[in-house]
Structure formats: structure tokens, C-alpha cells
Amino acid sequence: MADKYKLSEGALAVLMRGDKIDNPIMQVLGSKKLATNDPDKERHRMMLSDGKYLFSFAMFTNQISNSILLGGDFEMFSIIKIKRSVTSEINKDKSADKKILVIMDFEFVAKGSEVGYKIGNPEQLPANLSKESTDPPKPMQTNANSTARMKTSVPSISGINLNNTMQGKATHSISTITPYQNKWVIKARVTNKSNIRTWKNAKGEGSLFSFDLLDESGEIRVTAFKESVDKYYDIIQVDKVYYISKCMTKMANKQYSSLKNDYELTLTNDSVVQECEEETDIPTTKYDFVTIDKLANMEVGTIVDCIGIVKQASDVQTFTAKSSGRELKKRELIIVDPSKASVSVTLWGDTAENYDYTLPVVVIKGGKIGEFGGGKNLAVSMNGFLKYNPDIPEAFSLRGWYDNGGCNEEASNISARSNMGGFQANWMSFREVKDQDLGNVEKGYYYQTAGTVILVRAENIFYKACPQENCNKKIVDLENGTYRCEKCSSEYPNFKYRLLGNVNVGDWSGNQWVSMFSSELEILLGKTAQEVGEIAETDNDGLMQITNEANFKQYTFRCRAKMEKYNDEARLKTVAIKVEPLNYKEYNSHLISRIQQLAS
DNA sequence: CCCCCCCC
């Protein structure tokens, strides 16, 4: 019975010395709720046992505390496997060298009620954590990866003179940075650097810039405010590697950053930044390139990396955004790649202004897929960046392809506006098309809307048409058993029924009379034109029944709207060129992006 | 402590 649960004897000593140990197993021997006024910040201090030692200052991070409280799982004698933890010094009172253990990730090995007793006879963990006095009798497994390098650096960090001896020193991985432990030095490459921005709001004003750091373990954003901007803006350069320490750590707002890290750093007066001038193994930006042809079938809003040759570049255009009144600057590139597809890339702001024509290979990191008029495009926005002729194999091979004939290959432009029938068109509403006078263009305006059939006008819903397959001209009944088609200049013994009618369709914005032909009315009525025609000729009640049954069903209506003159009066004529079942997934993603636009 | 990420 006593052997059923095996604790990692001596592991507490290893952890509290600042060293790493893989997934130690501990028993919880007590907990105490910490005083707080804020129920959201409720935390518990716990006593842990590794079977050999006891330690009374262990805590869970807020998120874990909350989930335990909500789940009601937490019990005395529980056995847990600690998957991720850090030690932290409580420095408020400099004389008290008190350390706590913050548990960031764990899993239950056994619940307290199943265990029901204290395992072993653990003693208080001694204050002196020298290796000899505390090491477990059996060798403990340590991490073999980069975190193992932290072993020597943790206890010695405070003694390092960052100004001249950082070279070659062991450093921490970005992935180990948390708000609970501030004594780290990271060595990381700058992959992206913003311009200096200024702000002014109710709380004050100031300037800031930010940059992104990368090492083999992960990435993190660093922001500098005000004085730090002057101090660091010129020092920080993209692609260079720096030793950085003593920053403030805070939660990252995922809304504004796509970096894979829960935290962000802020440079303070105490921060130390030193360029690493030696050769390093710190990785350079990783790209996950998507070929241009693939972009055509990817969802709007997806963030991708792309590499291509610039075939065309527009001048910078300046205009005022209708929605915000903000002055915007943009430039459009068209890039191609060996997938024989080209895409329009929109550069905004400074990226647009600073674009360099002379360099043909561009890499887009973190481009956002957009859509216009049925074609896809890429936008390089705040979180992404553009790079010219980067020193990566993909760039050389692309250049090779282009110079060896690729420049002459025809590429299909996935940004081409294709909002004709059968292709994806812009989502619009009847009301917006009217209010924005979108039909006032020569070719008509193509759009789609999710609509509900309100009324199918039954009068004159059919006509007798030329029986020729590709001729739908109304025939003239010669009343002698033959029918004449003026268009074909022929007479036939037969005819075919065709449908042509007006349907009142409602969408969220209002309703609209929409003209439809056979192919669309057949879908709405669930009958062929021939069936409808035959019923309509003999059985008016039957026709009414068919048209009534079409009501209140929902479809995607692809429409063409065009202003036309009727007796000197301008009227918006709307024709449905395609009716199909509403694709809820696609429509929802449109609605979500629309809500996001409204919310921002 | 910012947080605009857009246009036809």
C-alpha cells in the first residue's frame, strides 16, 4: 500500500535550488487560502511533500487556482505531477530570503480521497540547499534540451556584469519567461521592429515602439515607451541578436499580437540590452511559405507567409477612409511564384512608402488574406512585415526560376475580380446596394445576399419559348398548330415552357423585387419549367399552391443590380443570376468578420 | 502607458 504512489524524493531541493527536474511527483499536505479582496485573484498557498522534504510556500498561478476552485478537485493528500514551475524570490523585504514555488502546469496523479494518508515522513526543507546536503540518493533525470543550460545560470545571474561578460554565458529561453520570475537573461534575435508611434488619450500621451524577439524556444514582443524609445530605438536592429534582461513582464493582449506567447515585455529604466556580436546559433525568422495558388482557396483572415517576385508595383495612393476619416496610404504589388499564380499585395502606411522597387524578391511574413470582388489578396498589416531579397534558399531558388524563364510564364491572377455568376461575389444587402447607388455602373453591380422568399408572383410566370435548345425567344402562336420563332426565322410544331417572373426577396436590410429566369425559379418552385407551364395552363389553384410553397425558404441569391431608365424614371433593376442553398459556414464567417468590423 | 491594422 505504502508503495503504491511514488514521490520524487529530494525533488523539492532540486527545484528550490533553481535547477530543473522533469515532472516531479509531489503530495499536497495542506493549503491555505491567501487573503485578498478580489475573488478573481483568490489563490492558495500549499504545503508540498516530495516524500523526503516539506515545503510550505508553493502556489498555483491564478488560472490554475481558479480552475481548481471551479472544478472542486482540490483535496488534501492529492498527488500531483508538476509539469512546469518556477521559483521566485519575494524581495519586498530584502532581509528575508524567502523563495516560493509557482506551479504553472500540473496534472493529478491521484486525488486526495483516493490516497487518504501522508506518504513517508518528510522533514522541513533546509534553508541551505547545497547539492551535497539535499541531493536525492538516486540520480534524478534533468532536461536534456535547452532549459538544462539554465542550471548554472539561475543562481549566478545576479552576479553577472552584463556590460562586458555576457558573451558565451548561459541564458534563459524565451519560453520560460513568466511574470513570477524576473531574474533572467535572454539571448534572442530581433525579427521585426515597429516604427515609433505616438499616442494621446485621456490617460496621457507619449511615444512607443515595439520589437519581436525569437530564440529556439519561442518568441516574445518587447515594447519601449517614452524615454526608452530614445534610448533603444537606434540600438535595436532587425536580424541582430541581443542579450536582454530586467524587463517588466505582462500578459500579452492577443487581440493585437499574433506572436505565440502569453506574455510581453516592457523595457524599463533598469533594463539591460546588449548586442551579441559573436556568431550564434539563435535561429532566424522561420517562414511557413504558402504558394500563391493555394491562397485562392484559403479563408479570408488567414495569416500566411508568402514569397514571390514583384511583377508590378503601384505608386503610393493617399485617400481618406470613409469609416474612420483617417488618412490612409497604400501601395499595391503584384507578386508571382512558380505555382503560376499571382496575387495582389497591399502595403499600408510606412511599409507602402518605404517600398524599394529595385529588389525583386519579396517575402511577406504574416500577411493577411483578404477578398475583393471575388478575388483574394494579401495585406501586410501591423503584425506582419515585408522583407526584400532575404538570405534564404527559397529566395535564391525563386530568383533562379524567374531568371530562367519564369518571368515569361503566364500567371493566373487570383486577385482578379470575378464577381460574375458562378463565382464568389461580395456579400451585400439590398439596402446597401440601393443606398450606396452601387447599381449605377455600366456593367451592373454583382453581389450576393442571404435572402428569404417572401412572394413569388404567379401572374405571367411562364411563357412559350422557341424549342431550339439555345434559343429562349418567345414564340408566336400561329393558331394552326405551329409556332414561329422570329429570332430563328423558323416555324415549329412544338414549343417549350420557360419561366420568367418576379420574386419578392427579403434579407436583413429590407426587401427587393428580383427578376428570375427558369434556372432560378425551378429551384425556388421545386419543379421544372415544363411542369410549371403545364400546371399553370390548366390549373390556376395548382399554380398558386406551387408558388405559395416556395415562400419563406432561404437561399443565397447572387444578383446583378443595375440602374435602368423606365419612362425617364431611374429604377434599380435586380436580377438573380444564381440561386443556391445558403452555405451557413461561409455566411457565418462573413457575419463574424462584419461584426468584427463594426466592433473595431 | 499603445491597441489605428484600413480602401476600392
Side-chain angles (χ1 to χ4, degrees):
Chain A
M1 182 75 178
D3 290 327
K4 191 173 171 189
Y5 304 104
K6 207 137 184 77
L7 303 184
S8 303
E9 287 188 16
L12 274 170
V14 178
L15 280 181
M16 297 318 293
R17 209 163 56 212
D19 286 352
K20 284 278 156 184
I21 182 162
D22 264 356
N23 299 331
I25 311 283
M26 309 249 183
Q27 186 176 33
V28 179
L29 289 181
S31 76
K32 188 184 169 193
K33 199 161 138 185
L34 296 178
T36 172
N37 300 324
D38 183 353
D40 288 342
K41 289 183 178 158
E42 204 161 84
R43 295 175 80 168
H44 290 75
R45 197 183 95 187
M46 349 220 316
M47 186 192 282
L48 289 181
S49 159
D50 64 10
K52 183 178 179 186
Y53 293 116
L54 285 174
F55 183 69
S56 309
F57 291 91
M59 291 172 77
F60 289 124
T61 58
N62 278 348
Q63 298 95 308
I64 294 179
S65 288
N66 289 337
S67 70
I68 289 169
L69 291 169
L70 291 171
D73 272 330
F74 183 67
E75 290 166 15
M76 175 92 158
F77 301 131
S78 292
I79 295 177
I80 58 173
K81 180 197 276 185
I82 298 175
K83 295 164 83 176
R84 209 151 59 90
S85 66
V86 288
T87 59
S88 183
E89 277 173 58
I90 300 170
N91 276 336
K92 281 187 186 137
D93 177 3
K94 292 274 181 201
S95 64
D97 182 23
K98 187 127 284 185
K99 274 186 169 178
I100 62 169
L101 180 71
V102 180
I103 298 167
M104 294 177 292
D105 191 14
F106 81 102
E107 63 187 46
F108 279 104
V109 174
K111 293 190 183 164
S113 55
E114 297 165 24
V115 182
Y117 64 95
K118 178 169 91 174
I119 297 171
N121 193 18
E123 300 161 19
Q124 274 305 324
L125 186 68
N128 168 20
L129 293 175
S130 75
K131 237 176 150 35
E132 296 69 32
S133 68
T134 57
D135 255 12
K138 287 167 283 181
M140 304 298 282
Q141 203 191 344
T142 53
N143 269 348
N145 61 27
S146 60
T147 52
R149 290 193 285 136
M150 289 174 60
K151 282 178 74 168
T152 53
S153 63
V154 172
S156 59
I157 230 82
S158 54
I160 289 173
N161 177 351
L162 286 158
N163 291 325
N164 54 33
T165 63
M166 276 317 298
Q167 311 282 33
K169 286 280 183 201
T171 51
H172 296 73
S173 303
I174 286 175
S175 66
T176 66
I177 293 176
T178 68
Y180 311 108
Q181 210 281 76
N182 207 27
K183 295 191 178 303
W184 43 256
V185 178
I186 52 171
K187 180 182 177 184
R189 193 181 298 276
V190 174
T191 55
N192 193 15
K193 174 184 160 185
S194 80
N195 291 299
I196 297 172
R197 293 201 306 276
T198 55
W199 84 89
K200 195 171 185 174
N201 60 25
K203 285 180 235 165
E205 59 182 282
S207 60
L208 74 136
F209 84 101
S210 64
F211 55 97
D212 298 340
L213 293 175
L214 175 80
D215 73 7
E216 72 281 357
S217 78
E219 51 190 359
I220 195 162
R221 175 158 299 169
V222 188
T223 307
F225 289 97
K226 300 172 185 175
E227 312 86 67
S228 299
V229 174
D230 307 329
K231 192 166 165 189
Y232 291 113
Y233 189 75
D234 293 330
I235 292 173
I236 297 296
Q237 289 176 42
V238 172
D239 287 339
K240 287 192 173 172
V241 174
Y242 298 84
Y243 294 101
I244 294 176
S245 66
K246 295 183 177 164
C247 294
M248 214 163 75
T249 310
K250 60 171 188 176
M251 292 300 291
N253 189 338
K254 292 290 181 186
Q255 198 184 337
Y256 304 114
S257 164
S258 57
L259 294 197
K260 292 181 191 68
N261 201 317
D262 289 342
Y263 306 112
E264 283 184 6
L265 300 175
T266 305
L267 290 170
T268 69
N269 285 337
D270 297 332
S271 297
V272 181
V273 174
Q274 189 201 349
E275 190 185 335
C276 170
E277 277 152 359
E278 67 192 339
E279 284 284 304
T280 80
D281 51 0
I282 300 292
T284 51
T285 309
K286 281 192 184 61
Y287 298 102
D288 194 6
F289 290 123
V290 173
T291 56
I292 294 170
D293 61 332
K294 298 273 193 308
L295 300 177
N297 298 317
M298 292 177 77
E299 226 164 292
V300 170
T302 311
I303 305 291
V304 293
D305 302 341
C306 219
I307 183 166
I309 301 266
V310 178
K311 253 194 147 166
Q312 267 180 57
S314 77
D315 290 331
V316 175
Q317 292 166 254
T318 303
F319 58 91
T320 308
K322 273 183 204 150
S323 53
S324 60
R326 185 180 295 269
E327 184 168 277
L328 301 174
K329 284 189 167 69
K330 73 157 188 179
R331 190 198 293 270
E332 270 182 32
L333 314 180
I334 293 176
I335 65 167
V336 289
D337 75 4
S339 73
K340 296 189 183 171
S342 66
V343 66
S344 163
V345 179
T346 311
L347 312 182
W348 293 96
D350 290 304
T351 314
E353 293 217 81
N354 301 335
Y355 170 73
D356 188 339
Y357 281 96
T358 59
L359 302 161
V361 177
V362 287
V363 161
I364 292 134
K365 174 73 186 171
K368 192 170 164 191
I369 296 180
E371 183 175 18
F372 178 56
K376 294 283 172 61
N377 57 63
L378 265 186
V380 182
S381 59
M382 207 162 100
N383 286 321
F385 56 87
L386 201 66
K387 234 174 179 174
Y388 307 105
N389 287 0
D391 198 5
I392 55 173
E394 290 94 335
F396 297 120
S397 91
L398 186 66
R399 188 62 202 261
W401 161 78
Y402 194 72
D403 291 344
N404 287 299
C407 54
N408 299 320
E409 285 179 26
E410 197 175 337
S412 80
N413 183 6
I414 69 159
S415 302
R417 297 176 63 178
S418 57
N419 41 12
M420 297 295 172
F423 292 90
Q424 170 79 46
N426 271 348
W427 287 101
M428 265 297 161
S429 66
F430 292 132
R431 183 62 187 260
E432 287 168 296
V433 172
K434 253 179 256 173
D435 287 355
Q436 297 173 31
D437 201 19
L438 297 173
N440 204 2
V441 286
E442 208 196 332
K443 286 182 170 179
Y445 178 76
Y446 291 83
Y447 67 101
Q448 65 185 1
T449 187
T452 302
V453 175
I454 293 172
L455 182 69
V456 180
R457 189 173 274 161
E459 295 83 11
N460 303 322
I461 199 170
F462 73 96
Y463 67 98
K464 293 169 180 170
C466 173
Q468 288 296 101
E469 203 185 339
N470 294 314
C471 181
N472 294 323
K473 180 83 181 158
K474 187 176 177 176
I475 44 93
V476 180
D477 191 339
L478 299 177
E479 312 276 6
N480 60 2
T482 59
Y483 307 90
R484 176 170 175 81
C485 175
E486 296 291 355
K487 192 177 171 192
C488 303
S489 301
S490 302
E491 288 170 25
Y492 301 100
N494 62 335
F495 61 85
K496 70 185 176 210
Y497 285 108
R498 291 277 303 167
L499 303 178
L500 167 58
N502 283 308
V503 179
N504 197 273
V505 180
D507 68 9
W508 64 264
S509 71
N511 65 342
Q512 172 73 45
W513 283 103
V514 181
S515 304
M516 296 186 201
F517 297 95
S518 287
S519 49
E520 291 71 47
L521 283 167
E522 283 182 340
I523 292 169
L524 263 51
L525 300 175
K527 295 243 180 311
T528 63
Q530 189 65 28
E531 290 167 335
V532 175
E534 283 171 15
I535 292 166
E537 291 247 64
T538 58
D539 177 6
N540 194 52
D541 286 348
L543 176 64
M544 293 311 288
Q545 197 186 329
I546 293 169
T547 54
N548 283 339
E549 271 169 14
N551 290 341
F552 310 122
K553 290 179 181 153
Q554 200 177 24
Y555 303 90
T556 299
F557 292 90
R558 296 203 174 153
C559 299
R560 175 182 181 270
K562 186 173 175 352
M563 287 308 284
E564 286 183 354
K565 277 230 159 115
Y566 271 89
N567 304 327
D568 274 347
E569 196 195 348
R571 269 202 346 210
L572 185 72
K573 183 169 167 78
T574 300
V575 180
I577 51 173
K578 200 166 171 64
V579 172
E580 53 190 24
L582 182 58
N583 179 335
Y584 287 98
K585 196 177 166 205
E586 190 187 314
Y587 186 52
N588 279 345
S589 87
H590 157 69
L591 290 177
I592 288 165
S593 73
R594 185 133 185 170
I595 289 166
Q596 283 167 343
Q597 278 168 29
L598 289 169
S600 62

